[in-house]
Amino acid sequence: MNDKPNANLFCALRAAFPADLDAVAIECADGPEGLRYSWRDLERGTAMMANLLGSLELSPGSRIAVQTEKSVEALMLYLAVLRAGFVYLPLNTAYQASELEYFIGNAEPAVVVCAGRCFGWVSKIAFLAGVQNVFTLNEDRSGTLLDRAAAMSDQHEPARKNANELAAILYTSGTTGRSKGAMLTHGNLLSNAQTLKAYWDWQPGDVLIHALPIFHVHGLFVASHGALLNGSRMIWFAKFDPRAVIARLPDATMFMGVPTLYVRMLAEGALDRNACRGMRLFVSGSAPLLIETFRDWQQRTGHTILERYGMSETVMLTSNPCRPEDGDRIGGTVGFALPDVSVRVHGDGGRACAADEIGNIEVRGPNVFAGYWRMPEKTAEEFTTDGWFKTGDVGRRDARGYFTIVGRSKDLIITGGYNVYPAEVEAYVNDMAGVAESAVIGVPHPDFGEAVVAVIVPKPGAQLDAAAITTALKAGIANFKVPKKVFIAAELPRNTMGKVQKKLLREQHQRLFA
């Protein structure tokens, strides 16, 4: 008999459900009128889906890849994967066929779940890669996954897990265009959720407006785990609508968003102090929040946005204070290192940086991932000899302990909260007929934070059409990676060593969207 507590993340989330299982857990704000899910619905639905997965006789540690639109059933599927003891692999709904081929080939999932309208092309990729099980799940509560699960028992004993066993793999773009699967354990995710619950002072009776996608850290882990671990009701938006979200603010106490969402709400006349009268906390992350947005929000609503910093490999690392006694929320910073998380700034030679000196941000703690899927050499490269993870971000820490992120050491572009690595887009552009070379950069954008811009040099005698290149890219890569502007140029600026000077290109186009 095993007396050790079950470290399955699902068990901790389930233990936080309120005593009244018939109370509303999730209210769908933009679905069929009156559609609500009780805590009992979550308990039964996840049990039935977990039993379906269990009936497939999958190997321990099997990956379940999911590319579906946001729905409560999709959230229940995530919880069911945890419950059944398998590994959840969320995929951005914008990914195209070539991208999905790589993820499925690399992760070798035992099950793929996709939207019904995509079944034709997704199932072809999956079956060719040797996947045995492909199900559909649609946002209107239909699909073969739910059809099969409906026949299953609504009783299920959660699989026993150790804290160091894998719970999820999140793919993060690589600087060479090759995505890396960040392996997150049950312990990683639970420790971070518990830390945020305490630090953000979650209260009994808190209600969260959930308007984020659930294929990345912010919406799936930070927001969903927060509400579930607090037994809090969620007002659920499948798609963000600024006017509709503002109309529901009086019914909620918490909102989490990326900067783009705050910019879009500020454009609505209905946003004022009265609309926010019952709100307790607004959180922003996944991209830098412009100081202008920070101040405009303060002025319009009377609330100060809490900015925080994290990444796929670590979940959350730092946060501006929630409670006034812990300090002020300072715009342009990402606050202090979270309790249980260690953050340092070091120079290239491993030297500790002084206060306000810019250097490489390195972290360690129970939230730091277990490594990159099937990339032991890459994993080893990304950790220092004394065991700190090298985030690839560049920043500084002031004398008070507030961290500020100043950029990426690897040219990462963050647009609308999504990560874009220039090398990946450049690889697609450079493969096109008539293209000699390209440089992809990020420039300031008032709505998205940064916009992707491509500067392309044609081969001698070739005639390139910017609109045709954009159209071709839209068919090959996720829409958020497609350049918002394409320039055709005679040459790219280079230094004496022949390296493209992207800094000069960014300076040249920095006012493009002003």
Side-chain angles (χ1 to χ4, degrees), residues 288 308-309 318 332-334 361 391 393-396 403-408 414:
R308 87 299 179 281
Y309 159 61
T318 74
T333 80
V334 292
I361 294 179
T391 65
D393 287 313
V394 177
R396 62 178 180 267
F403 285 89
T404 301
I405 310 300
V406 299
R408 285 291 290 180
I414 302 180

Side-chain angles (χ1 to χ4, degrees), residues 15 81 116 121 184 204 221 226 238 293 304 327 385 437 485 488 492 506:
V81 172
W121 65 270
L184 293 159
F221 298 152
T293 307
T304 302
T385 53
E437 61 177 344
K485 189 79 177 175
I488 310 299
L492 298 175
R506 282 191 286 265

Side-chain angles (χ1 to χ4, degrees), residues 365-412:
N367 54 308
V368 175
F369 75 138
Y372 293 114
W373 174 254
R374 292 178 175 169
M375 290 185 176
E377 297 86 2
K378 184 64 182 169
T379 299
E381 279 175 30
E382 298 303 320
F383 282 85
T384 63
T385 53
D386 57 346
W388 292 67
F389 174 61
K390 297 182 278 191
T391 65
D393 287 313
V394 177
R396 62 178 180 267
R397 178 185 182 273
D398 70 16
R400 298 163 299 175
Y402 286 84
F403 285 89
T404 301
I405 310 300
V406 299
R408 285 291 290 180
S409 58
K410 299 171 182 173
D411 280 336
L412 173 70

Side-chain angles (χ1 to χ4, degrees), residues 330-353:
I330 299 179
T333 80
V334 292
F336 303 120
L338 286 166
D340 299 328
V341 179
S342 299
V343 183
R344 71 185 187 187
V345 184
H346 271 204
D348 288 331
R351 175 187 56 83
C353 291

